[in-house]
């Protein structure tokens, strides 16, 4: 009798299963690392929002919205003829701010309110013109004779309203440690830009308390930060022996840097001419407090704070010379973001296996 062929089903050995699992794991990890690299590369390119961005217009010009061509800054005549005030949306010591309309687009018109502070107003305009970049609110036009400045409108307003904005249903998806850390990186990027600006090392003097700091910056609709108020931005020039003082009044409180406080005790009355000047490291002292506000109290924010503990401790060194530069803080923030994104991706990798 002819025997029928006998087929034996081949079983995978445990070693083969292990090898296949290892290969799959390696492939997934490599893929995730590649995606992470591409994401961070794109993120840093947009986050850098650098002053050399080819999308920027040449000096004296602007563009915004879907418009591709650059237009010259609006003149006194054009502002008077084409810009229509809608309502007052804010007023500070130096200027009053109006939500306005130009060619059916919302814009912001700022006007001097106190003639005694016209030098501050003009200094702010000078800084705004010279520092145009993707770190700074876009200038659309100005009129020195009438002490008027026209800038781009950002409906989310200043950073003082950040937490309220993140509780709006439309933006609740942004209320994560990841997005909040990106805002902190944006903020430190601006400080780094000011400390290495085309004009030299500039100090953000309108920063005597957290609320004042937050009022100087705008939150854009795509959740980036722009510096908006540049009225108090003195220049440090070490080679010329030039340091700065933020105003002529006594500064107090833990928010301002130690070197900004009166050093001679309560028994000696404050005198501006006896107050020692200081440098840009006052901005570094304030970074941990501002970043703490950005991080908030969402899930994961305490882990971020733990990773930033050492750099924040360095920012709070009493001796300004021992504090890191803004670039060093920025580098650390970016490394922490990369690390935490990678750690967040690894559990997903293990679940896939």
């Amino acid at each position: 009798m002819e025997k029928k062929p006998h087929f034996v089903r081949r079983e995978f050995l445990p070693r083969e299963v292990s090898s296949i699992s290892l290969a799959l794991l390696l492939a997934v990890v490599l893929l995730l690392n590649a995606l992470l690299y591409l994401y961070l590369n794109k993120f840093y390119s947009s986050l850098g929002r650098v002053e050399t961005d080819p999308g920027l217009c040449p000096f004296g010009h602007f563009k915004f919205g879907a418009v591709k061509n650059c237009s010259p800054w609006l003149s006194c005549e054009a502002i008077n003829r084409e810009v229509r005030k809608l309502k007052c949306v804010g007023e500070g010591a130096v200027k009053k701010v109006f939500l306005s309309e130009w060619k059916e687009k919302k814009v912001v018109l700022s006007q001097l309110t106190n003639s005694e502070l016209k030098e501050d107003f003009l200094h702010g305009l000078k800084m705004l013109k010279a520092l145009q970049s993707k770190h700074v609110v876009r200038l659309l036009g100005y009129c020195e004779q009438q002490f008027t400045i026209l800038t781009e409108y950002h409906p989310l307003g200043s950073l003082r309203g950040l937490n309220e904005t993140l509780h709006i249903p439309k933006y609740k998806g942004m209320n994560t440690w990841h997005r909040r850390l990106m805002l902190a990186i944006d903020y430190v990027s601006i400080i780094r830009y000011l400390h290495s600006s085309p004009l030299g090392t500039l100090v953000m003097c309108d920063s005597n308390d957290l609320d004042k700091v937050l009022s100087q910056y705008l939150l854009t609709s795509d959740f980036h930060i722009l510096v908006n108020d540049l009225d108090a931005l003195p220049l440090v020039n070490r080679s010329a022996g030039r340091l700065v003082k933020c105003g002529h009044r006594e500064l107090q409180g833990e928010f301002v840097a130690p070197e900004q406080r009166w050093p001679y005790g309560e028994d000696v009355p404050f005198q501006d001419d006896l107050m020692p000047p200081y440098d840009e490291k006052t901005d570094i002292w304030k970074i941990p407090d501002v970043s703490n506000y950005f991080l908030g109290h969402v899930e994961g924010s305490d882990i971020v704070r733990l990773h930033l503990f050492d750099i924040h401790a360095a920012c709070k060194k009493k001796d300004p010379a021992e504090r890191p530069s803004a670039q060093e803080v920025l580098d650390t923030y970016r490394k922490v973001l990369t690390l935490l994104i990678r750690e967040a991706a690894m559990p997903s990798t293990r679940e896939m296996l």
Side-chain angles (χ1 to χ4, degrees):
M1 181 182 237
E2 185 179 349
K3 292 184 178 180
K4 293 182 181 179
H6 183 62
F7 296 99
V8 178
R9 190 174 65 181
R10 185 171 179 266
E11 299 288 347
F12 286 112
L13 297 175
R15 182 179 298 174
E16 291 175 290
V17 174
S18 178
S19 298
I20 292 172
S21 297
L22 185 61
L24 285 172
L25 174 62
L26 182 60
V28 169
V29 170
L30 289 174
L31 177 61
L32 285 173
N33 278 330
L35 292 173
L36 179 63
Y37 171 80
L38 291 172
Y39 167 77
L40 290 173
N41 187 54
K42 182 180 178 181
F43 165 68
Y44 289 142
S45 297
S46 63
L47 178 150
R49 292 141 61 78
V50 292
E51 45 287 359
T52 56
D53 187 339
L56 288 174
C57 292
F59 183 81
H61 295 73
F62 73 93
K63 65 178 178 180
F64 72 107
V67 178
K68 292 183 178 180
N69 297 326
C70 295
S71 302
W73 287 335
L74 299 186
S75 63
C76 296
E77 181 184 357
I79 291 174
N80 291 334
R81 184 180 66 249
E82 301 172 11
V83 176
R84 181 170 65 94
K85 290 180 185 177
L86 299 178
K87 63 177 179 178
C88 179
V89 292
E91 183 173 3
V94 178
K95 53 186 177 285
K96 185 177 287 188
V97 180
F98 297 90
L99 175 62
S100 304
E101 191 174 61
W102 174 70
K103 293 187 175 180
E104 300 183 348
K105 296 182 178 70
K106 296 289 192 302
V107 292
V108 173
L109 188 72
S110 302
Q111 292 184 317
L112 178 69
T113 55
N114 186 345
S115 59
E116 295 180 359
L117 297 175
K118 64 182 180 182
E119 293 303 319
D120 292 340
F121 184 91
L122 293 176
H123 176 75
L125 173 58
K126 177 184 175 183
M127 294 293 105
L128 196 54
K129 290 192 290 184
L131 298 176
Q132 282 296 288
S133 70
K134 289 197 174 181
H135 297 293
V136 179
V137 69
R138 187 170 289 127
L139 178 64
L140 307 179
Y142 64 92
C143 179
E144 285 194 35
Q145 297 94 313
Q146 298 174 7
F147 297 100
T148 299
I149 299 174
L150 192 70
T151 54
E152 190 174 12
Y153 171 63
H154 293 279
L156 295 183
S158 80
L159 288 176
R160 286 188 294 191
L162 173 63
N163 289 320
E164 288 76 10
T165 297
L166 288 171
H167 282 94
I168 297 173
K170 179 181 177 180
Y171 298 111
K172 278 189 174 181
M174 298 286 194
N175 197 16
T176 64
W177 70 262
H178 173 250
R179 179 59 64 173
R180 283 175 171 272
L181 178 55
M182 288 170 65
L183 290 176
I185 291 174
D186 258 6
Y187 169 71
V188 177
S189 296
I190 293 172
I191 298 299
R192 190 269 309 162
Y193 174 62
L194 295 178
H195 288 184
S196 57
S197 82
L199 301 176
T201 301
L202 299 167
V203 181
M204 194 64 176
C205 266
D206 259 345
S207 56
N208 298 336
D209 57 63
L210 179 61
D211 192 65
K212 187 64 175 175
V213 170
L214 299 175
S215 71
Q216 309 302 303
Y217 298 86
L218 296 172
L219 181 64
T220 67
S221 297
D222 61 349
F223 268 70
H224 282 290
I225 295 174
L226 298 173
V227 61
N228 180 52
D229 196 329
L230 303 174
D231 294 346
L233 210 61
L235 179 69
V236 169
N237 188 338
R238 285 192 184 81
S239 60
R242 181 180 175 183
L243 300 177
V244 304
K245 287 192 285 188
C246 291
H248 304 288
R249 300 177 183 177
E250 182 177 2
L251 301 179
Q252 297 177 325
E254 292 298 315
F255 188 83
V256 297
E259 63 272 23
Q260 292 184 281
R261 303 171 209 154
W262 179 243
Y264 303 117
E266 295 180 359
D267 295 335
V268 180
F270 176 82
Q271 295 183 55
D272 183 46
D273 57 341
L274 295 180
M275 179 67 197
Y278 33 83
D279 62 18
E280 77 280 3
K281 290 298 184 73
T282 58
D283 289 332
I284 304 300
W285 170 274
K286 298 160 189 174
I287 286 176
D289 298 292
V290 180
S291 290
N292 188 55
Y293 169 81
F294 286 132
L295 292 175
H297 299 286
V298 297
E299 182 180 356
S301 62
D302 286 342
I303 299 297
V304 179
R305 287 186 180 90
L306 184 63
H307 281 81
L308 296 176
F309 180 85
D310 289 342
I311 192 67
H312 283 174
C315 291
K316 291 294 188 179
K317 294 280 188 181
K318 188 172 182 179
D319 183 354
E322 295 181 5
R323 295 174 205 154
S325 66
Q327 183 65 61
E328 290 171 322
V329 178
L330 180 59
D331 290 342
T332 301
Y333 274 39
R334 286 174 170 173
K335 287 176 184 176
V336 167
L337 176 64
T338 302
L339 173 66
L340 292 177
I341 291 176
R342 184 176 290 126
E343 287 181 352
M346 291 312 293
S348 300
T349 304
R350 286 193 291 268
E351 287 175 9
M352 290 173 65
L353 297 172

